[in-house]
Each structure stands twice: as C-alpha cells, then as structure tokens.
Amino acid sequence: MSWQHRPRCDETPSWALLAAHHAHCFEGPAAFDLRRAFAEDVQRVAAFSFDAPPVFADLSKNLIDREAQQLLNQLARECGVEAHRDAMLRGAPINTSEQRAVTHVHWRWALNQAATPGNQAQTAINSIVSGLPTAAGQLQAMLDCAEAVRTDRAITDVVHIGIGGSDLGPRLVVQALRSGGHSDGPRLHFVANMDGHELAETLLGLKPGSTLFIVASKTFGTAETLRNAQSARAWFEAQGGRDVARHFIAVSANAAAAAAFGAGCCLGFDEGVGGRFSLWSAIGLPIAIAIGRDGFLDLLAGARTMDAHFAGAPIEQNLPLQLALLDLWYRNFLGLHSRCVAPYHHGLRQLPAYLQQLEMESNGKGVDARGRTLAFASAPVTWGQAGSNGQHAFFQMLHQGSEVVPVEFVLVQRPAHALSGHHDKLLANALAQARALMCGQTGDAPERHFPGNRPSTVLMLPDLSARSLGALLSLYEHRTFVLGSLWGINSFDQWGVELGKRHAGEIETALWTHTEGSALDPSTAALLARLKTPPAAT
C-alpha cells in the first residue's frame, strides 16, 4: 500500500467492526468491567504487557478486551500505518501541507553510521542513516560548541531563550537529568514567556561578563523569543557587557537573521525538524551543555533503541503502535475526552507540559491531510502533574468524578538519591492509585462509594538515565505520529498557532496608540479601552 493513498481509519472495514463490538460489549448493564476481566482471564497481564527495553508497559488495567485489541491491530494494517512509518523514516515528504520530509529521527542516527540494530529494522534504519547527510556535521558543531562552553570557566550561567518546542524539550531533559546528578556544567536558566517578569527574575544576580545567552528559534522570527532576546541584549549592554557576539549564540535555520541580531555564531538545522520534535538537533545545545557530549550521545542512543523497535517490531508487539491504538479506542469509541499523565519522579515534572505540545499541537486538527473535515473527534486534552503531588490535587476527581479519565503512571525503578524511606513509598503510592482506580470501593454512604473500573497504564523505566529518557521521549513521538496517521492527520504542521499571532499585531498597535483598531469585535474593543485607561490607585 502506498503511503499517499492510505484509507482513513473510519473508511476501513475494522472501524465498523469496532463500533459493533463496542456497542455489544462496552455498553449496557453487562458492559466490560476490569475486575471481571481479570477474574475471567488469568493471562490478561501477559496479553496486555509490552517490553520495548528500556521501557516496560502494562496496559492490562485499561478498558479493552482481546477482541478489541485484535480489531485495532487489523485497523492499523488497513490504514497502512507501517507504510506511512517507513515513508517517514526514508525521508519522503509526509508533511504534505509544507511539502517537506520529517527529519527529527534522522538526527538521532546522524553520528551512528555503523549501527546494526536488528534484521527486521535494518532496511528502515539504513534509510534513516543516509537520509540527512548534513545533520552529522551540524550535530557535531553543536556538540563542539557545548564542550567549549562547558570548559570556559569565565561562563558561569547560560540563559536559554526560546518558546514552544525550542523550550519545552530542552527544559524537560535538563530538569530530568539534572535531578539525577548528571549536570556538571554552568548553571542553566530557561526563559520562554513574553511576560517580562520571567526574564527580569532570571537576570537578577547574573553578571554580563559571565553569562551566555542562547537564542533558539527555527525562523528567528518568533515574537516571544525575539522580544526576550532584544531585552536580554539591552540588559547586557546596560550592565556594561562587551562583545555581544561572544555572549549571544543563535540556534536557527535562519542564519542571516541571527547574524543581523548580532549573534556570534548560528548553529543550524534543517527545515524538516519540527519545533516540538527538535531537542535531538542543534536545539539540544542547552542539554549538551548541561550533561556533556557523552550524555547527549547517550540520549540519542536511547532514542535509537526505540526507533529500532518502532521500525521493526510487528504491530502486535509494537509499543508505540499499541499505545496509539489504545488512544484511538478511548477517544473514538469510548468517547473519553482527556488523558492524565502522572510521572512519579520529580525529574519528570515537566513531562505533562511537554506532552501537551507534542500531542495537541500535532493532532489537534479538525481536517485530515486531504483537507476533509474529520467525522470523529481528534486529540484529547493531555494534562497532569508529578506524583504524589497530584494525589492531593485532582485524584479526587479521577476516583469519584463524573468523567472517566485514563491515567498514565510513569515509574522509575531506581532513584538517583540515597535518601532512605522515600522511593519505596513513592512507588507504593503509584501502584496503590492504579489499583484503587480499578477496584473501587463499596462505601457505607454515597460519598464514600468509589465506582472503580477506571483505567490506567503503567510505563516503567529502570532509571532516569539519558538512555532511558531518550527511549521514553522517542516512544511518545512515535505514538503521536501513529495516532495522527490513523486519523489521516498531518501531525507535522501547526497552522492554528499562527491565527492568534496575526490578531496580536493589530491589537498591540492599537494598545499603545490612539487608534481603536480597524475591525475589532465589541468585547475586544471594550477590553482594549479599559487597558488603555490608567488603573485607579488602591
């Protein structure tokens, strides 16, 4: 099957079979119940567990039975997901609206030309390795730059300025690996928000002579990033800083604009790297500064392990595919509106925010890649918080609320700290929450009744090393791609991001001038007038 002529999920025979199976087995008084499913199937755990080292996944506490699993696997075949995957890996222009290849996976393999991951995946992996010859040089230049910064004792602080994909991925990885003691370079600070309070707070206590600024923007035209970069440069000069070129590095595909800004060097990457998939490229500069060349290479190696699994494992054993199929089952047949991600590790506290962009910006679309309106719901809301904090915030709703929300627990077996009495309690709480969601409780009063039969997934890592984290993030990327592929969506554009930016330009002009805006709606015009009126003294 050609990747350009694949049917959309709702155009396949399996779609109708899934709808019939759902109506027969998941609705009404005899609807599927997890407690009954475990009692009737002693092999359920084995049937719904998947090993993609270093990631282990237990999907057995989800609202799915073996027949639905088989029908979903058939749906993936009928949708040509494997052909679409192979097209992405060999560099075909699967980003059809922008006529581009999707190259973030290629960057992970750029410095690993001799890799031989396994026979099943070898053809696809060979395509990856040869698909982007310029990436190797650009990645090597980034790593050389990172090592130069790490060994420059005059630089004590690095401020990374970016937003969206230029911020969320690097911020997550630096936080995660710093928590495990992997960071031994200069102090890293991240600034994303256009709200000047974030930049002003970050600059407190910094000295221009010992501070390096990284300005990360694919186009070097992102409004928030440029505003922060210009203010940082003004601060640097006002504080007596000299040699802007030495203290400002750009990471961008627009070298000319970076040079015009005054950046001393610009580390580049190709147009096929989407922002939310870009941490593996030169955008990963702050990661390499934090954990060093070897640490960054370990991050890439972990991601390659998952790439090889995704490229070679059959559908029935392919973890990214199985997670995406479960997502589709929940969204389009069970009608669930959101998914809660609960990482039980402080280092992964940024994971829900990272996944919000990865998943909702990729698949939050209302039309397919051919421009047709979708006849079904697309991306659910992704949200969450680190455990065990979330247990004292929203777990009440998860247990007893009127909405059923699948919960994804992310566990790490070995801690990086030596404090006794912490990690065992943390892991026990995570497993207890998953069990309580499933089992529920018959209370002696209505307010003490827990309905149970509430779904959850457990993803488990052996540790929070660079390799484990690389594999986990690669898993989430491939899962997102597969779900978009099933829905017929182009997961690699984001036209919805641009609309608000266009309106902001007109409103900003009107806010600080005497104009009223040419065609503002009454509500916006009234709010604008109020903002322009000096607030009363309090």
Side-chain angles (χ1 to χ4, degrees), residues 259-271:
F261 172 82
C265 76
C266 179
L267 300 170
F269 56 98
D270 67 288
E271 292 285 350

Side-chain angles (χ1 to χ4, degrees), residues 392-467:
H392 298 271
F394 50 77
F395 269 65
Q396 163 65 40
M397 181 271 288
L398 296 176
H399 284 287
Q400 290 185 302
S402 57
E403 289 276 337
V404 173
V405 178
V407 183
E408 193 160 286
F409 295 94
V410 183
L411 310 185
V412 178
Q413 288 179 270
R414 294 191 296 273
H417 63 77
L419 299 174
S420 63
H422 284 262
H423 204 63
D424 287 349
K425 290 183 183 296
L426 182 71
L427 296 179
N429 269 270
L431 296 181
Q433 291 295 330
R435 174 173 165 76
L437 285 165
M438 177 182 71
C439 293
Q441 173 181 287
T442 301
D444 55 4
E447 64 272 15
R448 295 188 181 92
H449 175 72
F450 294 77
N453 198 36
R454 303 217 161 178
S456 67
T457 293
V458 171
L459 300 180
M460 189 181 300
L461 302 175
D463 53 26
L464 193 56
S465 63
R467 284 178 180 264

Side-chain angles (χ1 to χ4, degrees), residues 450-536:
F450 294 77
N453 198 36
R454 303 217 161 178
S456 67
T457 293
V458 171
L459 300 180
M460 189 181 300
L461 302 175
D463 53 26
L464 193 56
S465 63
R467 284 178 180 264
S468 294
L469 182 60
L472 179 68
L473 299 184
S474 176
L475 167 66
Y476 277 118
E477 287 182 348
H478 293 318
R479 170 190 191 167
T480 300
F481 161 73
V482 171
L483 187 55
S485 179
L486 292 164
W487 283 334
I489 285 173
N490 178 4
S491 299
F492 302 102
D493 62 13
Q494 55 282 328
W495 299 106
V497 177
E498 304 301 321
L499 180 60
K501 293 180 180 179
R502 294 208 309 270
H503 286 284
E506 178 185 353
I507 293 172
E508 182 182 358
T509 299
L511 186 59
W512 302 116
T513 66
H514 296 293
T515 62
E516 298 299 328
S518 59
L520 296 179
D521 62 275
S523 173
T524 303
L527 290 168
L528 182 63
R530 188 173 186 85
L531 285 169
K532 293 168 74 170
T533 302

Side-chain angles (χ1 to χ4, degrees), residues 294-432:
D294 290 345
F296 194 86
L297 293 177
D298 281 347
L299 184 76
L300 298 181
R304 289 197 302 271
T305 301
M306 189 59 66
D307 293 338
H309 169 82
F310 179 54
I315 288 174
E316 291 80 4
Q317 300 166 21
N318 195 304
L319 182 54
L321 266 156
Q322 291 301 315
L323 289 170
L325 290 167
L326 181 63
D327 292 338
L328 179 143
W329 171 246
Y330 278 159
R331 189 71 175 118
N332 298 136
F333 294 96
L334 272 66
L336 305 185
H337 299 100
S338 74
R339 181 173 108 257
C340 174
V341 178
Y344 273 67
H345 194 294
H346 182 66
L348 294 174
R349 61 193 180 279
Q350 189 73 16
L351 181 62
Y354 165 81
L355 292 177
Q356 284 176 337
Q357 189 203 20
L358 176 64
E359 297 180 2
M360 293 193 286
E361 190 170 275
S362 294
N363 292 333
K365 316 284 172 64
V367 298
D368 66 16
R370 303 179 198 175
R372 301 176 298 173
T373 300
L374 297 181
F376 46 81
S378 61
V381 175
T382 305
W383 60 281
Q385 185 180 352
S388 59
N389 298 19
Q391 294 176 201
H392 298 271
F394 50 77
F395 269 65
Q396 163 65 40
M397 181 271 288
L398 296 176
H399 284 287
Q400 290 185 302
S402 57
E403 289 276 337
V404 173
V405 178
V407 183
E408 193 160 286
F409 295 94
V410 183
L411 310 185
V412 178
Q413 288 179 270
R414 294 191 296 273
H417 63 77
L419 299 174
S420 63
H422 284 262
H423 204 63
D424 287 349
K425 290 183 183 296
L426 182 71
L427 296 179
N429 269 270
L431 296 181

Side-chain angles (χ1 to χ4, degrees), residues 118-128:
N119 293 333
Q120 285 183 303
Q122 193 62 58
T123 300
I125 297 305
N126 287 341
S127 297
I128 296 174

Side-chain angles (χ1 to χ4, degrees), residues 225-247:
T225 299
L226 284 186
R227 178 63 271 166
N228 281 323
Q230 290 160 357
S231 294
R233 185 181 59 190
W235 171 88
F236 177 82
E237 294 172 335
Q239 294 295 314
R242 298 179 180 179
D243 196 355
V244 168
R246 168 173 159 71
H247 288 268

